[in-house]
């Protein structure tokens, strides 16, 4: 039934600390990845600072990523969130809450953690705690490693959810990008590829049959991400 079981967490995902370099599978994953010209809820921030609906809202077979995990450990709360995260919390009905659900708080404690939850009504969210890249200025390898761990745990939680679609976003974008802001598209693609490589073989295989989108909310960032996508596809 759709009772309490539907609201259960699949648990915090765990990934291998060592990348298993499986070139063909990684290339296959990147080739199935789709770039979406809208955020995880189907909206886009346009050049004139208005927000428009550019794509469909997520359906009941799709999980979306909330990368506001830094707000989850107390005293953080949905109510204190702003921007894109607040819009997600409004969508799942927790935007006025003073704390996240206990299972989410227990699972998302630090950088790299990711956890899936079904909020009812076919609204599926993977909460993720991305790194603050302002703390690793200029250290490309460190940034890739921290982001790869986060992406791996997101992908692992998604496979465990049994859902068919995933709407990713560039984790640690915006204010958290720091010195990496202008390199975020290339950093995102490199980290996502490495995150896939950290998955166990059975999860890599499962992902290749899924529909995964990288959602770009800000219209002005789309061209740069399209460029990074083309570079990765070579």
């Amino acid at each position: 039934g759709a009772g309490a079981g539907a609201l259960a967490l699949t648990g915090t995902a765990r990934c291998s600390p060592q990348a298993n370099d499986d070139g063909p599978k990684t290339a296959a994953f990147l080739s199935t990845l789709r770039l979406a010209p809208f955020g995880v809820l189907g909206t886009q921030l346009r050049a004139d600072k208005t927000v428009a609906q550019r794509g469909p809202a997520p359906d009941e077979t799709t999980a979306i990523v909330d990368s506001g995990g830094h707000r989850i450990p107390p005293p953080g709360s949905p109510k204190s969130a702003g921007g894109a995260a607040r819009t997600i919390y409004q969508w799942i009905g927790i935007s006025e809450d003073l704390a996240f659900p206990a299972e989410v708080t227990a699972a998302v404690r630090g950088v790299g953690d990711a956890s899936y939850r079904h909020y009812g009504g076919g609204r599926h969210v993977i909460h993720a705690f991305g790194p603050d890249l302002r703390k690793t200025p200029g250290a490309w390898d460190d940034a890739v490693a921290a982001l790869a761990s986060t992406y791996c745990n997101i992908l692992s939680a998604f496979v465990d959810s049994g859902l068919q679609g995933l709407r990713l976003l560039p984790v640690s974008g915006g204010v958290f990008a720091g010195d990496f802001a202008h390199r975020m598209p290339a950093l995102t693609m490199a980290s996502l590829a490495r995150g896939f490589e950290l998955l166990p073989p059975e999860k890599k295989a499962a992902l290749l049959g899924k529909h995964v989108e990288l959602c770009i909310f800000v219209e002005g960032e789309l061209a740069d991400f399209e460029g990074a996508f083309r570079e990765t596809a070579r």
Side-chain angles (χ1 to χ4, degrees), residues 15 147-149 151-153 155 190-199:
C15 289
L147 279 169
S149 172
Y151 281 120
C152 183
N153 286 323
L155 295 172
S191 304
L192 196 46
R194 178 62 59 85
F196 177 84
E197 290 167 1
L198 293 171
L199 287 167

Side-chain angles (χ1 to χ4, degrees), residues 157-190:
F158 168 55
V159 171
D160 288 344
S161 76
L163 294 168
Q164 191 57 34
L166 174 65
R167 287 187 174 183
L168 281 167
L169 43 67
V171 173
S172 301
V175 296
F176 295 101
D179 291 349
F180 292 100
H182 66 294
R183 303 168 76 189
M184 209 62 206
L187 180 60
T188 298
M189 297 309 296

Side-chain angles (χ1 to χ4, degrees), residues 5-219:
L7 295 174
L9 222 63
T10 61
T12 303
R14 284 282 171 252
C15 289
S16 162
Q18 293 295 322
N20 171 14
D21 188 8
D22 187 347
K25 271 203 175 69
T26 304
F29 169 66
L30 292 173
S31 72
T32 62
L33 192 64
R34 291 288 170 262
L35 191 66
F38 47 75
V40 295
L41 294 177
T43 56
Q44 181 189 67
L45 179 62
R46 299 166 72 167
D48 61 5
K49 302 300 182 189
T50 60
V51 174
Q53 194 74 32
R54 274 292 309 273
D59 65 19
E60 66 279 0
T61 69
T62 300
I64 68 170
V65 173
D66 158 41
S67 63
H70 57 283
R71 296 186 189 86
I72 291 175
S77 70
K79 190 176 176 73
S80 69
R86 179 163 185 79
T87 308
I88 290 173
Y89 302 153
Q90 287 171 337
W91 182 69
I92 57 178
I94 66 170
S95 61
E96 296 304 311
D97 292 1
L98 296 177
F100 285 85
E103 301 97 321
V104 174
T105 304
V108 182
R109 298 182 177 198
V111 172
D113 288 345
S115 201
Y116 158 78
R117 185 178 174 88
H118 179 211
Y119 283 90
R123 299 185 178 200
H124 305 275
V125 177
I126 295 172
H127 297 283
F129 194 143
D132 185 344
L133 299 177
R134 294 172 296 186
K135 297 176 181 175
T136 55
W140 178 267
D141 291 348
D142 292 346
V144 169
L147 279 169
S149 172
T150 311
Y151 281 120
C152 183
N153 286 323
I154 290 170
L155 295 172
S156 181
F158 168 55
V159 171
D160 288 344
S161 76
L163 294 168
Q164 191 57 34
L166 174 65
R167 287 187 174 183
L168 281 167
L169 43 67
V171 173
S172 301
V175 296
F176 295 101
D179 291 349
F180 292 100
H182 66 294
R183 303 168 76 189
M184 209 62 206
L187 180 60
T188 298
M189 297 309 296
S191 304
L192 196 46
R194 178 62 59 85
F196 177 84
E197 290 167 1
L198 293 171
L199 287 167
E202 66 276 9
K203 289 198 171 181
K204 288 179 181 171
L207 258 180
L208 295 180
K210 307 281 190 181
H211 182 71
V212 182
E213 292 178 304
L214 178 63
C215 298
I216 309 303
F217 176 59
V218 181
E219 183 181 25

